[in-house]
Amino acid sequence: MPKYIFITGGVVSALGKGIAAAAIGALLEAKGLRVTIQKLDPYINVDPGTLSPFEHGEVFVTDDGCETDLDLGHYERFTHLRASVVNNYTTGRIYFNVITKERRGDYLGDTVQVVPHITDEIKEAIKSAASDEYDINIVEIGGTVGDIESLPFLEAIRQFRYHVGKENVLYVHLTLVPYIKTAGELKTKPTQHSVNELREIGIQPDLLLCRTERPLPPEMKRKIAIHCNLDPDAVIAAMDVSTVYEVPLSFMEEGLDKLIEKKLALNLREPDVEIWNQVVERIKNPKYECSIAIVGKYVNLKDSYKSLEEALIHGGIANNARVNLEWVDSEAIETHGVEHHLSEVDGILVPGGFGSRGIEGKIAAVQYAREKKIPYFGICLGMQLAVIEFGRHVCGLSANSTEFDVKVKDPLIYLMESWYNHRSGKIEERTADSQMGGTMRLGAYPAVLIEGTHAFKAYGAKEISERHRHRYEFNNKYRELLTSKGLVISGLSPDHELVEIIELRDHPWFLGCQFHPEFKSRPTEPHPLFSAFVGAAIREKRELFQ
Ligand code: GLN
């Protein structure tokens, strides 16, 4: 049976619970354990797919096509986990399941209540991720202790220890120890209050992770320990670090792995963190440098492109390079012109997106990259716009996507009426209704690559699998015309019906993919397309210096 580590947060939000959960996962994997990580989110949306990236950050997509919280991206980047539908539950999904059961008559006339029905459903959800494949299930509870919304989750994890036994459950609480400049002191009161609040609902944390910008002196740890009913060694300083990939190492220095081992009665080897040392060393002391412009819509909220940002850092790791990101609002390009924003950069990336805002600015960025021969990477929408730009300016078409202009003369990107779904093995039909929502192509689909292309060279493989999240596709009616003018189709669905990757014949590195490669990149295994793109951007720079 797996053991459970529950992670709660207190004092304020945004302390980095997701990173903490992921880093603990990395550290336990380094000690030879098999780890899964789960996020329980207190909001009522059934899944985060409909949440605005402005408010909630990126929607992370799993292989099995779930739209999940961005913390699952951290879990996958720090550990070997490939998350699925069991790794993210929201209050909405829990209630939805309970109400579905109630409608079916499963409760046989019981009065359906938060306790026990909702809490039982939560406990089932927690167990659903913890199969025999894993030694540890780390469960992150979203929100902050004291929120009304997270109470049923806290009650469920309180009961959990009762069911599975003390030695199988560990409660970790993440708090803040702020440094008050005017007093010149670190303050422990918020931590004490937060732990009190947790204890009031019956949870005594086993260890505290204290976020702090300064080292926590031993007397400070002792003070927290006495007030919170803990051993001083159970108070761990989670110091600010310069890269998130240093967090597993900093936890190890604080003895967190030994503590978890002791508290969960495990007998493990010393952690092998060589790979994390290498990752951190490469990030901190790179040999090269390049700047990449990300031309998007949500550039003021970096969390909207979290996986993308990380994947570019990974591309840098693969090339021993620091990648400086320039966030460019595509509407600003429409106002100030493309030169103003892009003349200094080594690479241009147009990420995924929905809706027509800022589209023409993005197309201008694509045209600039194509004409000036600057390395270009288009992801999902960025690939579709690269096709449209090529159609307009090279083939003289009146081109657009029907997403932005339903009546366009040359719909280069459009909604297919039906397509073969390689995951379900079925033909998917699109009804007028489903065009509004429903039938997005979501999750992992296979693709075959064409030899001799940049894509083939980057992957070094003929068959790949990548995650999708889109509705519109390349219109095959235009394949012949576009390829005759120099567009290269380098990746296709196995039946050759769907275009997955495009490139340009006369360009150093110009690639657009219909999928989201950023979701599968890890610091320890940078994604081949990001490595190749960053590599191309640096090569350009080296040539300039020669
Ligand atoms: N809006 C486009 C589509 O639905 C692209 C989506 C995306 O970039 N993820 O096809």
Side-chain angles (χ1 to χ4, degrees), residues 351-355 379-382 384 403-404 413 440 469-473 514 516:
F354 295 83
I379 293 177
C380 205
L381 178 65
Q384 298 174 350
E403 180 178 5
F404 315 123
I413 305 294
M440 261 217 266
R469 183 174 186 249
H470 62 105
R471 294 190 180 86
Y472 296 81
E473 303 280 354
Q514 189 55 86
H516 288 271

Side-chain angles (χ1 to χ4, degrees), residues 478-496:
Y478 293 90
R479 244 194 229 189
E480 220 177 288
L481 173 66
L482 268 61
T483 49
S484 73
K485 298 275 188 192
L487 191 93
V488 176
I489 293 175
S490 57
L492 288 157
S493 58
D495 61 3
H496 285 211

Side-chain angles (χ1 to χ4, degrees), residues 69 75 142 211 340:
D69 187 83
Y75 307 163
R211 275 303 299 273
H340 179 79

Side-chain angles (χ1 to χ4, degrees), residues 491-544:
L492 288 157
S493 58
D495 61 3
H496 285 211
E497 280 303 309
L498 304 173
V499 172
E500 292 279 9
I501 311 179
I502 59 109
E503 301 179 12
L504 290 186
R505 206 188 297 141
D506 301 315
H507 196 287
W509 207 91
F510 187 108
L511 188 145
C513 52
Q514 189 55 86
F515 47 82
H516 288 271
E518 68 272 28
F519 292 142
K520 285 181 74 174
S521 190
R522 290 175 163 137
T524 51
E525 266 172 89
H527 190 284
L529 291 181
F530 283 91
S531 304
F533 173 54
V534 172
I538 302 166
R539 256 194 305 282
E540 288 284 306
K541 194 149 191 161
R542 274 192 231 132
E543 272 164 24
L544 278 181

Side-chain angles (χ1 to χ4, degrees), residues 220-239:
M220 197 62 86
K221 286 190 177 178
R222 256 196 311 275
K223 187 171 166 194
I224 296 173
I226 291 173
H227 282 287
C228 301
N229 214 9
L230 285 165
D231 294 335
D233 73 350
V235 179
I236 301 271
M239 282 272 291

Side-chain angles (χ1 to χ4, degrees), residues 6 76 121 140 187 228 262 299 336 350 396 414-415 439 452 506:
F6 293 108
E76 288 204 2
E121 191 68 30
E140 178 193 346
K187 289 292 182 191
C228 301
K262 194 170 94 194
V299 290
H336 305 124
V350 175
Y414 78 135
L415 276 177
T439 57
D506 301 315

